Amino acid sequence: MNRPRNENHETSETFTLWEFVSISDFERPIVLSTDAARQKWRLFKRLFTRADESSTPIKPEDALQTLSEARLDQLAPPIDRHAAVDALDRALEDWLQTRPNGSPVKFIIGQAFSANEEVLARWTARHNARLITKPTVEQILENDSTWPNVPTDSQSLWVLPNLDKCFLRHAEGLSLIRRFLALALNGDLGPGIIGCADWSWTYLRRVCSLSNGNALTLQAFDGKRLSALFSQLASSAQPTGLQFLNANTGKTVLSDSREENLEVSKDLNKLAMRCRGNAEIARLFWRDSLRNEPEEATLEDSTPTTTVWVGPFTEGAVIPGSHDENVALILHALLIHNGLPAKVLTRVLPFSDYQIMDLLFNLKSLGVVHLQYDNWHVAPMGYLSSRHYLSAQNFLLDDF
């Protein structure tokens, strides 16, 4: 296990933003019991006491405005996964050099929205490895013996970036993946890297008797990592003179990225805990909270110091009720398959096609799911509520 991290004394030289670790060393940010107790007490006082005039926000919500998409794309742009590819290189370096016979395969488990498949595709190109393409739905259901078309006597490195796309939760949807895993784990296909989405991995561990022993995943983003990440993202918009202040208290939320060993704000620690250490979900909640004043100058005409106000973090998309099994079944199917086309959902769910479409469009109107190309996915802003919804009905959850 990793030694506990000391966030107050860890230097920039030893701090690594992106880090792949064994699943047993994954450390999700947790809510300390004292913090939870304080939060419950604050909620209790709000119910039975009048608002204190001294608690008036520094910048009330009606005095601020949301930022344009263009400005948000400057302050919190999509995450560049190049550093994650470098981190994967570091994590696999020893294994690549030794390639032990007892460990012919390494599993790379991607948490929700971590772009695991993209990272593995880039890593594959960097190492000139053989890329195994996913099977078609027909190949899965027919247990096509020609897939994956890897010579059994080959010792060249291969990568399958999306194990989550190689099965269906269907009576005939697991034979192909079981055959493939037996060959891979026995070393018959030579050394290989297998990527898999976290919910799929949790399901497959149970139906295919897989172990976490050879599996790696990205370390969770605590408040310190989020602070460093958000500073890096914002520096592309304005390298210096940019400050992020809490709209309620006026306190600093995000410090200048050039300064070292500064205390991480409570806001970012709470965001990290709320988002379960998921960097992409946290980035989207962060974007959603950013505000400015209507009379604020444009970026080109701004003063040396530009203030961005951070409003309350929203709840994200909300699913009404908590006991609709049909809703739970469709959410669970989307998560354990890492997204599916509507026509394939009819193969794994006990509903008619029109019932499935009604459910999907209702969830889409709530912001819980979205359509990406031909695949339906749980949306990032609907992920936390979906996970809570499934947990309330005792569905199998991911490990993160």
Side-chain angles (χ1 to χ4, degrees):
M1 296 288 289
N2 287 347
R3 291 180 298 174
R5 295 189 297 271
N6 186 328
E7 294 190 4
N8 294 323
H9 296 93
E10 191 173 30
T11 65
S12 59
E13 287 77 13
T14 61
F15 175 66
T16 302
L17 184 59
W18 300 93
E19 181 185 13
F20 279 88
V21 297
S22 64
I23 290 180
S24 61
D25 288 337
F26 178 82
E27 299 175 353
R28 187 177 67 248
I30 60 174
V31 180
L32 299 177
S33 58
T34 52
D35 290 338
R38 290 192 191 106
Q39 184 178 16
K40 289 180 180 179
W41 175 243
R42 284 195 297 268
L43 291 173
F44 179 81
K45 288 198 298 183
R46 288 177 189 171
L47 288 173
F48 296 101
T49 60
R50 293 183 178 183
D52 187 350
E53 292 183 0
S54 65
S55 64
T56 302
I58 299 295
K59 290 292 179 181
E61 185 68 21
D62 57 6
L64 300 172
Q65 66 180 13
T66 56
L67 302 177
S68 67
E69 285 297 313
R71 182 60 169 148
L72 287 173
D73 286 342
Q74 292 176 322
L75 295 173
I79 298 170
D80 182 357
R81 302 292 172 173
H82 181 80
V85 181
D86 292 339
L88 185 58
D89 250 347
R90 293 192 296 270
L92 292 175
E93 184 178 5
D94 290 343
W95 179 84
L96 283 174
Q97 290 179 354
T98 60
R99 296 191 184 183
N101 292 330
S103 180
V105 169
K106 280 289 187 182
F107 292 95
I108 310 301
I109 311 306
Q111 298 146 42
F113 317 108
S114 64
N116 195 53
E117 189 171 345
E118 176 191 340
V119 169
L120 281 168
R122 292 190 187 188
W123 189 91
T124 303
R126 177 181 292 184
H127 290 268
N128 196 28
R130 178 199 296 264
L131 181 68
I132 297 180
T133 58
K134 65 182 180 181
T136 65
V137 171
E138 290 70 24
Q139 285 179 304
I140 292 173
L141 294 174
E142 295 171 5
N143 188 15
D144 187 346
S145 61
T146 64
W147 187 87
N149 192 26
V150 175
T152 56
D153 60 347
S154 174
Q155 287 303 307
S156 60
L157 182 66
W158 53 265
V159 178
L160 173 66
N162 44 15
L163 189 68
D164 41 273
K165 297 302 182 185
C166 302
F167 78 97
L168 289 173
R169 190 177 57 185
H170 181 278
E172 299 173 353
L174 291 169
S175 297
L176 179 140
I177 199 171
R178 283 177 170 145
R179 175 173 54 81
F180 167 74
L181 288 170
L183 291 170
L185 292 172
N186 195 45
D188 293 336
L189 303 180
I193 308 292
I194 299 177
C196 188
D198 55 351
W199 286 76
S200 309
W201 177 248
T202 302
Y203 173 74
L204 291 173
R205 282 190 61 213
R206 283 153 179 77
V207 299
C208 297
S209 301
L210 295 173
S211 168
N212 276 333
N214 290 322
L216 303 175
T217 192
L218 274 173
Q219 184 59 280
F221 271 63
D222 55 12
K224 180 171 184 176
R225 279 190 163 95
L226 284 186
S227 183
L229 175 64
F230 293 164
S231 291
Q232 287 181 7
L233 295 177
S235 66
S236 62
Q238 188 170 333
T240 60
L242 188 63
Q243 60 180 356
F244 293 82
L245 304 182
N246 185 303
N248 185 56
T249 64
K251 294 182 178 180
T252 298
V253 177
L254 185 62
S255 304
D256 193 314
S257 61
R258 296 169 300 167
E259 300 183 45
E260 298 179 2
N261 300 322
L262 292 180
E263 183 180 356
V264 177
S265 69
K266 291 183 179 179
D267 300 274
L268 292 185
N269 278 327
K270 290 178 181 177
L271 181 61
M273 291 185 287
R274 180 177 180 181
C275 295
R276 306 178 64 85
N278 188 299
E280 177 60 11
I281 295 176
R283 181 185 75 90
L284 294 176
F285 274 92
W286 174 248
R287 276 177 63 107
D288 199 48
S289 72
L290 302 182
R291 302 285 187 270
N292 66 1
E293 299 178 70
E295 68 275 12
E296 183 182 79
T298 63
L299 180 62
E300 290 76 18
D301 301 328
S302 62
T303 58
T305 299
T306 301
T307 298
V308 179
W309 296 97
V310 181
F313 296 120
T314 68
E315 294 298 321
V318 177
I319 308 173
S322 60
H323 301 293
D324 189 330
E325 188 178 24
N326 291 352
V327 170
L329 284 170
I330 201 166
L331 290 174
H332 199 243
L334 291 178
L335 286 166
I336 70 168
H337 290 95
N338 195 22
L340 281 176
K343 63 181 180 181
V344 182
L345 277 168
T346 60
R347 307 235 188 174
V348 300
L349 291 173
F351 314 136
S352 64
D353 54 354
Y354 73 85
Q355 288 176 305
I356 289 174
M357 293 311 300
D358 282 348
L359 285 166
L360 286 173
F361 281 122
N362 182 44
L363 290 169
K364 184 175 183 291
S365 70
L366 297 171
V368 176
V369 304
H370 65 166
L371 183 62
Q372 187 174 18
Y373 304 110
D374 291 330
N375 287 290
W376 288 91
H377 294 267
V378 171
M381 295 298 282
Y383 178 77
L384 297 179
S385 61
S386 296
R387 197 179 192 283
H388 179 75
Y389 197 88
L390 292 170
S391 177
Q393 299 193 51
N394 296 316
F395 274 70
L396 178 67
L397 307 178
D398 73 325
D399 295 324
F400 303 102

